[in-house]
Amino acid sequence: RFIREHPRRRSIAYEDRNPVWLCGGIEAEAPEGKGIRWSQPNIVLYDDDPYVRMSYPDLVEDGDRVFLTETQKNVARVHEIPTAFLDALWNRDETHGPETDSLILTYQPLPLLEVEASQSCALGGTGIPMPALPPFLQRNVDSADYGTRDLRSGFSIDVSLRLQHLVPGDIVLDNRTPTGQGFCLQIASQQTVEIVLNDGRTENRWACDPGQLTVGRLHRIVAIVDGGPKIITFIIDGVLNDGGDARQFGWGRFSPHLRSVNGAELLRIGPTLHGEVLAVRLYARALPTSEALEMVGPGAAGYNETDTTEDGG
């Protein structure tokens, strides 16, 4: 409806064709007969300039190799899709458990099954040593002007929590210094969780889709900060936020000038949270959607059994 209701539907409404997302579909039984079950989307293409659009795509198979073609005004491009990327789409019904590649922090005071819904958490939280996160930018000493080198790095946060009250401003995780440098994950308005990124020069923030958090429910929140396309995504309880009916996009961009979100030496866990943080994992890279979903486990990851389209649709 965001396209349909846009006042300049035939021009400005179609400007956002960057990044490009790819889903994998497999044939499945549906109430109407055969259908396609689609995986949740992964970013497959992007351009540093958000006004550059990738349009009119085609998939081309040549033996075991798969290519994506697309155009932008006076340029036509052909991209080979990495085999590992495609394998992750087709194997979405296989859950491999938590990823260990680039895992730099784990925190779990109690096994999740031992935590009762009525368990309380006194305000104050816990502080644990904060590992260094990869910077997004650095000075390029190999260039004549010593300008910017974009490292296209990122990080991912995986948090399990249960809230007793939804209080905007309550802090889930926080490594910020007194001057605000670092990152935090906090409760925001409209039953959302928000990530704040600050390098001491610029601040960026993005929240999940409205209505995602419920009091008393065990939530699994994955926030992915991807320094390639400069995009933040949220996966809440095994579902990638796509905006729903509330907004056109579930993802948000952050500044290409953001240098780093390394802050204090301690990561504060739930310092002002009306609830309990049950587990934290921190990764020193941006996890693709497919890998992040594999962490969540059965019942949340994988294909959506109710999301089918008629064969040929």
Side-chain angles (χ1 to χ4, degrees), residues 9 12 27 46 49 66 78 85 102 211 244 262 303:
R9 182 166 59 92
I12 293 179
E27 189 177 65
Y46 68 89
D49 184 347
V66 179
V78 180
F85 183 97
S102 302
N262 284 304
Y303 292 90

Side-chain angles (χ1 to χ4, degrees), residues 33 75 85 95 98 135 155 203 215 218 231 243 250 280 288:
V75 178
F85 183 97
T95 301
F155 69 100
E203 183 167 281
V215 169
L218 177 62
I231 280 177
V280 179

Side-chain angles (χ1 to χ4, degrees), residues 147-158:
T148 298
R149 171 175 287 167
D150 190 341
L151 302 176
R152 304 194 185 278
S153 55
F155 69 100
S156 305
I157 304 169
D158 173 21

